[in-house]
Amino acid sequence: MTRRGLIAIVVAAVLVAAVVAAVLVRRHHADDPYAAYCATVDDHRGLIASATEKGATTGLISALPSFEALRDKAPSDIKDDWDTVIAAITDLVDTLHQVGVDPASYDRSHPPANLSKHDQGLIDAAAERLGSDTTRQALSAVDQEARDVCHSPLML
C-alpha cells in the first residue's frame, strides 16, 4: 500500500469516527428527557434573577413569561409544580387587571386612591394564594429540580 493510500484510509477512518460520534451525541441528547428543560433553565435563569430582584410578588409577576417557558419544557415529574406556580401568579395578575390595577406598579402599602376595600380584599386573597404553602412548596420543588438535574439554580 502506498503512503497516499494509507493517508486516505486514515482520513476516511477519522471522518467516519467523527460522524459516528456526532450521531451518538445527538442521540444521547435526544434521549435525555431533561436536555431541553435544562437548556431553557440556562436561557431564563438570568431573567428570573433580574425579575425576582424587584421583590417577591412583583418579581414573580415579571418572571411569569420565563416560568411559562420552563413549564412548556418541563419533564413530567415537575410539570404539576410549574402549573401550581403559574396558576397562582396568573390568578393574582388576573385579579389586578379585573380591578383595574397595573400589576407592574401595584404597591400594597400604597394602593391607588380609587381602589375600593372590596377590590383590595380580592387582591389580598389572590396574593395570599400566591404566598400559600402550596405555592411555596411548588417553587421550592422547581428550584430544587433545576439544581439537581440541570446543576443550575433558578434563583427563586
Side-chain angles (χ1 to χ4, degrees):
M1 178 175 290
T2 68
R3 183 177 169 135
R4 189 176 216 138
L6 186 58
I7 291 174
I9 290 173
V10 169
V11 169
V14 168
L15 288 174
V16 167
V19 168
V20 168
V23 167
L24 289 175
V25 167
R26 187 174 303 145
R27 182 177 300 147
H28 173 72
H29 192 56
D31 290 342
D32 181 357
Y34 298 100
Y37 181 66
C38 290
T40 306
V41 166
D42 288 341
D43 290 346
H44 288 269
R45 187 180 59 231
L47 296 170
I48 292 169
S50 294
T52 55
E53 287 175 1
K54 297 176 183 176
T57 302
T58 304
L60 291 174
I61 291 170
S62 297
L64 184 57
S66 290
F67 292 162
E68 290 168 334
L70 286 161
R71 180 200 49 206
D72 292 345
K73 297 291 184 181
S76 60
D77 65 326
I78 202 73
K79 199 171 275 282
D80 286 346
D81 290 307
W82 275 120
D83 286 342
T84 298
V85 169
I86 290 168
I89 298 168
T90 302
D91 181 43
L92 178 58
V93 169
D94 290 348
T95 300
L96 289 165
H97 284 144
Q98 174 188 338
V99 300
V101 174
D102 177 19
S105 64
Y106 179 70
D107 180 354
R108 169 74 171 81
S109 58
H110 299 96
N114 63 342
L115 188 65
S116 71
K117 293 289 183 195
H118 176 263
D119 289 348
Q120 180 68 52
L122 293 173
I123 294 169
D124 288 347
E128 284 179 29
R129 287 189 294 276
L130 178 58
S132 72
D133 285 341
T134 301
T135 306
R136 282 198 314 269
Q137 288 170 1
L139 279 165
S140 177
V142 297
D143 186 54
Q144 192 63 51
E145 177 92 350
R147 291 171 189 271
D148 292 347
V149 174
C150 304
H151 309 290
S152 180
L154 289 173
M155 308 294 188
L156 300 175

